Structures are given as structure tokens and as C-alpha cells.
Amino acid sequence: MKTIILGTFALLLSVSIQAQNQDKKVETVITTTTVKDNKGERKVVKKEKTQEVHDIKLQEVPKGTLNTDIAPSPTEVTSVTSVNVDGQERIVDVDHSAYYLNNGEKYQVLADNSGYKVTNNTTGISLLRRTSNNNYIYRNKDKFAVGHFDKNGNLVLETYDEKSDKVTVEVFSLQK
């Protein structure tokens, strides 16, 4: 019993002595903008948090050498942007506010407190609401669809048609 307790104690002590194997750098930039319009004065607070994580790995140690150099390894950078408008905070990974083109019609996508608003002269205002898995629910008076932004920044909407039992795909191409 005494050997088990001493062995467990030695194991726990050796685990706590291990060296640091990551180098972390966290930087937060806060930008406050005051907007004056016909509704009055309001503050928009934008907080950008950037985290850099670099794994520390050592090069091969030749026999008889006391010190060694750090081996080059990639740095992983993650960035999170949160915007606080009128007391409501939301996290924005990438702002997709822009003009899009679909079937010769121009659509404008604007960020709002809950996601995006899609406006067009013929269809009016539609809503894009973010889901937990980085997709969006698209809704207007005539259509209900699931959408996402592809690697080129285009908005891709997928709509289920009950009559044909098929999914139709519409691509709203980003205008640069």
C-alpha cells in the first residue's frame, strides 16, 4: 500500500514539473464609434481579439550538447470580432455585408442585430438568421431556405420543393 501511494505521489509530482509546450500571445483592440443620426446619438463598440498559439518543439539534440534550438513550427492565429450596437452584443466572424447578383437582379445584404437583412426592389426585405453550425436560415414572404457563404464569399441558398421532392440551389454571386 505504501508503495502505491509513493508511486502515485511521484507520478503526480513529475507531471507538474513538465515544461511549457506552447507560446501564446493574446491581443485585444477595442474601437468605440459614436454615430449621430435622426434617431439620436448611439455608440458602437467593436472588440477584436486575436490569439496566436505557437507550439514549441525542439530540434534533435546531438550527444554531448547541453542546449538546443527550437524547431520551426507553424503559428495558429484565431480572431474573434464582437460588435455591441445599442446594448446588444453579437459575434461577427466575417462581415458579409455587400451587394450580390442573382438572375440579373441586385441584392443588398446588410448586417443587423440578429444576422442580416437582404433587400431587393422586387422581393422587399428578407431575413438571414445564423444557426449554430455556421449556416443561415433565409426567410421572406414567399420562401424559406437554408443558406451558407461559400469560400468565394457567394451566398448559396438551398430550398426544398415538396412537389418534386428535390432541393434547388440558388447562388447569389458577390459583386466586387
Side-chain angles (χ1 to χ4, degrees), residues 4-19:
I4 294 173
I5 293 174
L6 286 176
T8 306
F9 181 71
L11 178 67
L12 290 175
L13 184 64
S14 66
V15 168
S16 66
I17 297 177
Q18 291 182 356

Side-chain angles (χ1 to χ4, degrees), residues 1 15 19 25 35 41 44 50 55-57 71 93 106 136 145 150 157 162:
M1 184 68 161
V15 168
K25 176 184 170 187
V35 178
E41 187 175 300
V44 177
T50 306
D55 289 333
I56 298 174
K57 297 179 182 175
D93 292 331
K106 195 172 192 178
Y136 290 87
D150 65 8
L157 292 181
E162 288 184 48

Side-chain angles (χ1 to χ4, degrees), residues 11-172:
L11 178 67
L12 290 175
L13 184 64
S14 66
V15 168
S16 66
I17 297 177
Q18 291 182 356
Q20 178 181 354
N21 59 357
Q22 286 186 341
D23 187 18
K24 290 185 181 180
K25 176 184 170 187
V26 178
E27 181 178 313
T28 304
V29 177
I30 299 174
T31 307
T32 304
T33 308
T34 304
V35 178
K36 293 182 182 180
D37 57 7
N38 60 354
K39 296 179 184 175
E41 187 175 300
R42 60 189 167 130
K43 286 188 177 183
V44 177
V45 179
K46 180 179 176 183
K47 187 188 313 181
E48 296 178 76
K49 182 178 179 182
T50 306
Q51 179 176 355
E52 296 179 12
V53 178
H54 181 109
D55 289 333
I56 298 174
K57 297 179 182 175
L58 300 178
Q59 292 180 353
E60 279 295 317
V61 181
K63 288 186 178 181
T65 306
L66 295 177
N67 297 324
T68 185
D69 293 330
I70 296 176
S73 61
T75 301
E76 183 179 322
V77 179
T78 56
S79 181
V80 176
T81 303
S82 63
V83 178
N84 189 332
V85 180
D86 296 334
Q88 292 184 347
E89 185 169 319
R90 69 183 189 113
I91 295 180
V92 179
D93 292 331
V94 176
D95 189 10
H96 295 286
S97 296
Y99 287 97
Y100 293 84
L101 194 64
N102 181 24
N103 294 332
E105 292 189 47
K106 195 172 192 178
Y107 293 83
Q108 183 178 17
V109 176
L110 292 169
D112 67 359
N113 289 334
S114 304
Y116 294 99
K117 286 184 183 177
V118 181
T119 58
N120 179 307
N121 293 337
T122 57
T123 60
I125 297 177
S126 305
L127 300 175
L128 272 176
R129 298 297 181 236
R130 187 177 186 153
T131 63
S132 61
N133 59 357
N134 266 350
N135 288 328
Y136 290 87
I137 297 173
Y138 175 85
R139 182 179 61 85
N140 68 9
K141 60 184 175 191
D142 301 329
K143 183 189 266 184
F144 188 82
V146 176
H148 67 275
F149 291 94
D150 65 8
K151 64 182 179 182
N152 298 324
N154 300 325
L155 174 61
V156 179
L157 292 181
E158 299 176 8
T159 310
Y160 175 71
D161 184 17
E162 288 184 48
K163 294 176 185 173
S164 65
D165 193 30
K166 296 193 181 202
V167 175
T168 58
V169 178
E170 284 183 276
V171 178
F172 292 73

